[in-house]
Amino acid sequence: MLSKKVQKKKDEGYTLPLILDGDIQMDHLESIGKDDWWLRKELRERGYRDLSAISFCSYQNGYFYIDLKES
């Protein structure tokens, strides 16, 4: 019997918003096993200190997508 090794494509899943209109979405953070302290630390390291300036923020596969509110 011949067997063929098949490598499955990594499931990237879906992303949830972690911040909407400056408000942290705690239930979404908890669903990925993180807390608001982790989120604030990660954003500070990337230069985002004022969460109220963030319109949308999501996280997937180690990367953040951040959309700022228009001034």
Side-chain angles (χ1 to χ4, degrees):
M1 176 178 195
L2 270 176
S3 65
K4 184 177 178 183
K5 188 174 182 178
V6 177
Q7 186 173 7
K8 292 183 180 180
K9 184 178 178 182
K10 183 179 176 184
D11 181 17
E12 295 184 13
Y14 58 94
T15 183
L16 295 171
L18 301 182
I19 298 177
L20 288 174
D21 197 27
D23 295 322
I24 296 175
Q25 306 301 300
M26 291 303 298
D27 53 336
H28 295 171
L29 267 177
E30 291 169 4
S31 73
I32 64 168
K34 306 293 184 187
D35 59 20
D36 62 324
W37 184 87
W38 171 84
L39 179 60
R40 290 174 192 275
K41 176 183 160 292
E42 292 292 325
L43 293 175
R44 268 193 313 274
E45 289 175 2
R46 290 162 175 77
Y48 300 98
R49 297 193 179 283
D50 182 10
L51 299 185
S52 67
I54 297 175
S55 175
F56 177 85
C57 171
S58 64
Y59 176 80
Q60 185 176 29
N61 298 327
Y63 295 97
F64 284 92
Y65 173 81
I66 300 169
D67 187 27
L68 298 177
K69 294 179 182 178
E70 296 200 18
S71 317

